[in-house]
Amino acid sequence: MRKRRRKKRRSNKKFIRISQIMIGIILVVGIIIGFNQYRINKDKVVYSNDVANGQSSDSDNQSNEVTAANDNKGVPVLCFHSISDDPKAKSSIVIPKDKFKQDLQAVKDYGYTTLTIAQLNDYLFNNKPIPKKSVIISFDDGYKDNYTNAFPILKELNMNATIFVISSYLDGQVYMTPDEVKELSNYGIDIESHTFDHKQLSTLSYDEQYKELKDSKDSLEKLIGKPVTAIAYPEGKYNDDTKKAVVEAGYSMGFTIERGYADKDDSRVLLNRICIDYTYKPSDIKKVLENLRK
Ligand SMILES: [Zn+2]
């Protein structure tokens, strides 16, 4: 009888000791997690990157510190054209699908947030903060393959983009159909202007330039039901008349293909971009995002 009681007491003591150890472990782990959380909250302001259409952030698992509103860190505006595996379409501005996906994956892996045109405009001209690592992915011309090849990759990687469309070229063959443009816009891709007829603006009179710019803005706005606020100049060509006509036609931003970041020192109608061709490797993408040099 006494032996059994002693045995029982011994097992009770053992149970209490194990319980104490377990509680100790839970407390220590709790303190470590709590401290880490405190450190993260203290050091970082996490930017909410909800794009215009309410998509979730393209860098859900990463935090990206906010740039102070008065900081003039430029934003790389990458410029792509056609995304295609078609061997007939060989040209330096045609990038195969897999390569394009690697390029975008690199942008994402390096922690960059894809901005909308409105976010870039607010940062440059209205002193709104943006994530320190911000980028714009843009396409010129509105090729059909932007819809068939680039769009699925953008969706898969949850990244935003801007397409500068030539508004009279929407033939559904080489270029997108009006319905495809509308679908992209409804998804949240920014549809902006690349003029009405892709004429080199610097060869035109002021009135002709104004018409190219205004007709394109009006027809695209009618199509997508949203304001069109940015223009990319065909072949990057412009002159003094262009700068005036762009503002007169109601645009708030004009993009060249002069290599550089879009920053607050740029004129709002001469914003720099960085054209990406098929020679770029993912490591080159990182270099241009960080210091412009490939
Ligand atoms: Zn073009």
Side-chain angles (χ1 to χ4, degrees), residues 81 140-141 166 194 198 234-235:
H81 287 81
D140 277 9
D141 302 329
I166 309 159
H194 195 41
H198 207 258
E235 292 169 51

mmCIF file with all atom_site columns, all heavy atoms in Angstrom, residues 81 140-141 166 194 198 234-235, ligand 1:
data_model
loop_
_atom_site.group_PDB
_atom_site.id
_atom_site.type_symbol
_atom_site.label_atom_id
_atom_site.label_alt_id
_atom_site.label_comp_id
_atom_site.label_asym_id
_atom_site.label_entity_id
_atom_site.label_seq_id
_atom_site.pdbx_PDB_ins_code
_atom_site.Cartn_x
_atom_site.Cartn_y
_atom_site.Cartn_z
_atom_site.occupancy
_atom_site.B_iso_or_equiv
_atom_site.pdbx_formal_charge
_atom_site.auth_seq_id
_atom_site.auth_comp_id
_atom_site.auth_asym_id
_atom_site.auth_atom_id
_atom_site.pdbx_PDB_model_num
ATOM   1  N  N   . HIS A 1 81  ? 8.411  45.796 -75.669 1.00 0.00 ? 81  HIS A N   1
ATOM   2  C  CA  . HIS A 1 81  ? 7.574  45.925 -76.859 1.00 0.00 ? 81  HIS A CA  1
ATOM   3  C  C   . HIS A 1 81  ? 6.780  44.637 -77.062 1.00 0.00 ? 81  HIS A C   1
ATOM   4  O  O   . HIS A 1 81  ? 5.712  44.475 -76.512 1.00 0.00 ? 81  HIS A O   1
ATOM   5  C  CB  . HIS A 1 81  ? 8.425  46.259 -78.090 1.00 0.00 ? 81  HIS A CB  1
ATOM   6  C  CG  . HIS A 1 81  ? 8.931  47.651 -78.094 1.00 0.00 ? 81  HIS A CG  1
ATOM   7  N  ND1 . HIS A 1 81  ? 10.039 48.061 -77.383 1.00 0.00 ? 81  HIS A ND1 1
ATOM   8  C  CD2 . HIS A 1 81  ? 8.481  48.773 -78.729 1.00 0.00 ? 81  HIS A CD2 1
ATOM   9  C  CE1 . HIS A 1 81  ? 10.247 49.355 -77.558 1.00 0.00 ? 81  HIS A CE1 1
ATOM   10 N  NE2 . HIS A 1 81  ? 9.319  49.809 -78.380 1.00 0.00 ? 81  HIS A NE2 1
ATOM   11 N  N   . ASP A 1 140 ? 5.284  49.352 -75.336 1.00 0.00 ? 140 ASP A N   1
ATOM   12 C  CA  . ASP A 1 140 ? 4.921  50.287 -76.399 1.00 0.00 ? 140 ASP A CA  1
ATOM   13 C  C   . ASP A 1 140 ? 4.232  49.555 -77.554 1.00 0.00 ? 140 ASP A C   1
ATOM   14 O  O   . ASP A 1 140 ? 4.585  48.405 -77.854 1.00 0.00 ? 140 ASP A O   1
ATOM   15 C  CB  . ASP A 1 140 ? 6.181  50.967 -76.960 1.00 0.00 ? 140 ASP A CB  1
ATOM   16 C  CG  . ASP A 1 140 ? 6.601  52.154 -76.100 1.00 0.00 ? 140 ASP A CG  1
ATOM   17 O  OD1 . ASP A 1 140 ? 6.023  52.336 -75.006 1.00 0.00 ? 140 ASP A OD1 1
ATOM   18 O  OD2 . ASP A 1 140 ? 7.515  52.885 -76.514 1.00 0.00 ? 140 ASP A OD2 1
ATOM   19 N  N   . ASP A 1 141 ? 3.298  50.218 -78.185 1.00 0.00 ? 141 ASP A N   1
ATOM   20 C  CA  . ASP A 1 141 ? 2.658  49.822 -79.453 1.00 0.00 ? 141 ASP A CA  1
ATOM   21 C  C   . ASP A 1 141 ? 1.346  49.035 -79.302 1.00 0.00 ? 141 ASP A C   1
ATOM   22 O  O   . ASP A 1 141 ? 0.504  49.088 -80.173 1.00 0.00 ? 141 ASP A O   1
ATOM   23 C  CB  . ASP A 1 141 ? 3.614  49.032 -80.377 1.00 0.00 ? 141 ASP A CB  1
ATOM   24 C  CG  . ASP A 1 141 ? 4.870  49.815 -80.717 1.00 0.00 ? 141 ASP A CG  1
ATOM   25 O  OD1 . ASP A 1 141 ? 4.783  51.051 -80.781 1.00 0.00 ? 141 ASP A OD1 1
ATOM   26 O  OD2 . ASP A 1 141 ? 5.936  49.203 -80.895 1.00 0.00 ? 141 ASP A OD2 1
ATOM   27 N  N   . ILE A 1 166 ? -1.338 52.366 -79.701 1.00 0.00 ? 166 ILE A N   1
ATOM   28 C  CA  . ILE A 1 166 ? -1.574 53.242 -80.873 1.00 0.00 ? 166 ILE A CA  1
ATOM   29 C  C   . ILE A 1 166 ? -3.059 53.083 -81.190 1.00 0.00 ? 166 ILE A C   1
ATOM   30 O  O   . ILE A 1 166 ? -3.507 52.020 -81.630 1.00 0.00 ? 166 ILE A O   1
ATOM   31 C  CB  . ILE A 1 166 ? -0.723 52.790 -82.081 1.00 0.00 ? 166 ILE A CB  1
ATOM   32 C  CG1 . ILE A 1 166 ? 0.751  52.629 -81.679 1.00 0.00 ? 166 ILE A CG1 1
ATOM   33 C  CG2 . ILE A 1 166 ? -0.885 53.774 -83.237 1.00 0.00 ? 166 ILE A CG2 1
ATOM   34 C  CD1 . ILE A 1 166 ? 1.555  51.742 -82.606 1.00 0.00 ? 166 ILE A CD1 1
ATOM   35 N  N   . HIS A 1 194 ? -0.027 55.977 -77.234 1.00 0.00 ? 194 HIS A N   1
ATOM   36 C  CA  . HIS A 1 194 ? 1.222  55.978 -78.016 1.00 0.00 ? 194 HIS A CA  1
ATOM   37 C  C   . HIS A 1 194 ? 0.909  56.673 -79.339 1.00 0.00 ? 194 HIS A C   1
ATOM   38 O  O   . HIS A 1 194 ? 1.392  56.278 -80.388 1.00 0.00 ? 194 HIS A O   1
ATOM   39 C  CB  . HIS A 1 194 ? 1.675  54.529 -78.214 1.00 0.00 ? 194 HIS A CB  1
ATOM   40 C  CG  . HIS A 1 194 ? 3.101  54.370 -78.668 1.00 0.00 ? 194 HIS A CG  1
ATOM   41 N  ND1 . HIS A 1 194 ? 4.139  55.115 -78.187 1.00 0.00 ? 194 HIS A ND1 1
ATOM   42 C  CD2 . HIS A 1 194 ? 3.654  53.507 -79.566 1.00 0.00 ? 194 HIS A CD2 1
ATOM   43 C  CE1 . HIS A 1 194 ? 5.268  54.725 -78.764 1.00 0.00 ? 194 HIS A CE1 1
ATOM   44 N  NE2 . HIS A 1 194 ? 4.997  53.753 -79.623 1.00 0.00 ? 194 HIS A NE2 1
ATOM   45 N  N   . HIS A 1 198 ? 0.966  56.619 -84.738 1.00 0.00 ? 198 HIS A N   1
ATOM   46 C  CA  . HIS A 1 198 ? 2.388  56.307 -84.598 1.00 0.00 ? 198 HIS A CA  1
ATOM   47 C  C   . HIS A 1 198 ? 3.275  57.140 -85.517 1.00 0.00 ? 198 HIS A C   1
ATOM   48 O  O   . HIS A 1 198 ? 4.313  56.685 -85.998 1.00 0.00 ? 198 HIS A O   1
ATOM   49 C  CB  . HIS A 1 198 ? 2.652  54.811 -84.848 1.00 0.00 ? 198 HIS A CB  1
ATOM   50 C  CG  . HIS A 1 198 ? 3.872  54.303 -84.135 1.00 0.00 ? 198 HIS A CG  1
ATOM   51 N  ND1 . HIS A 1 198 ? 5.077  54.097 -84.771 1.00 0.00 ? 198 HIS A ND1 1
ATOM   52 C  CD2 . HIS A 1 198 ? 4.094  53.965 -82.857 1.00 0.00 ? 198 HIS A CD2 1
ATOM   53 C  CE1 . HIS A 1 198 ? 5.963  53.642 -83.899 1.00 0.00 ? 198 HIS A CE1 1
ATOM   54 N  NE2 . HIS A 1 198 ? 5.400  53.551 -82.719 1.00 0.00 ? 198 HIS A NE2 1
ATOM   55 N  N   . PRO A 1 234 ? 6.243  58.056 -80.045 1.00 0.00 ? 234 PRO A N   1
ATOM   56 C  CA  . PRO A 1 234 ? 6.717  57.043 -80.989 1.00 0.00 ? 234 PRO A CA  1
ATOM   57 C  C   . PRO A 1 234 ? 8.207  57.234 -81.296 1.00 0.00 ? 234 PRO A C   1
ATOM   58 O  O   . PRO A 1 234 ? 8.634  58.362 -81.609 1.00 0.00 ? 234 PRO A O   1
ATOM   59 C  CB  . PRO A 1 234 ? 5.851  57.284 -82.231 1.00 0.00 ? 234 PRO A CB  1
ATOM   60 C  CG  . PRO A 1 234 ? 4.596  57.883 -81.688 1.00 0.00 ? 234 PRO A CG  1
ATOM   61 C  CD  . PRO A 1 234 ? 5.038  58.739 -80.528 1.00 0.00 ? 234 PRO A CD  1
ATOM   62 N  N   . GLU A 1 235 ? 8.939  56.152 -81.149 1.00 0.00 ? 235 GLU A N   1
ATOM   63 C  CA  . GLU A 1 235 ? 10.403 56.153 -81.331 1.00 0.00 ? 235 GLU A CA  1
ATOM   64 C  C   . GLU A 1 235 ? 11.103 57.195 -80.454 1.00 0.00 ? 235 GLU A C   1
ATOM   65 O  O   . GLU A 1 235 ? 12.231 57.602 -80.736 1.00 0.00 ? 235 GLU A O   1
ATOM   66 C  CB  . GLU A 1 235 ? 10.753 56.353 -82.806 1.00 0.00 ? 235 GLU A CB  1
ATOM   67 C  CG  . GLU A 1 235 ? 10.334 55.143 -83.644 1.00 0.00 ? 235 GLU A CG  1
ATOM   68 C  CD  . GLU A 1 235 ? 10.412 55.421 -85.135 1.00 0.00 ? 235 GLU A CD  1
ATOM   69 O  OE1 . GLU A 1 235 ? 11.467 55.887 -85.582 1.00 0.00 ? 235 GLU A OE1 1
ATOM   70 O  OE2 . GLU A 1 235 ? 9.411  55.160 -85.819 1.00 0.00 ? 235 GLU A OE2 1
HETATM 71 ZN ZN  . ZN  B 2 .   ? 6.198  52.576 -81.013 1.00 0.00 ? 1   ZN  B ZN  1
#
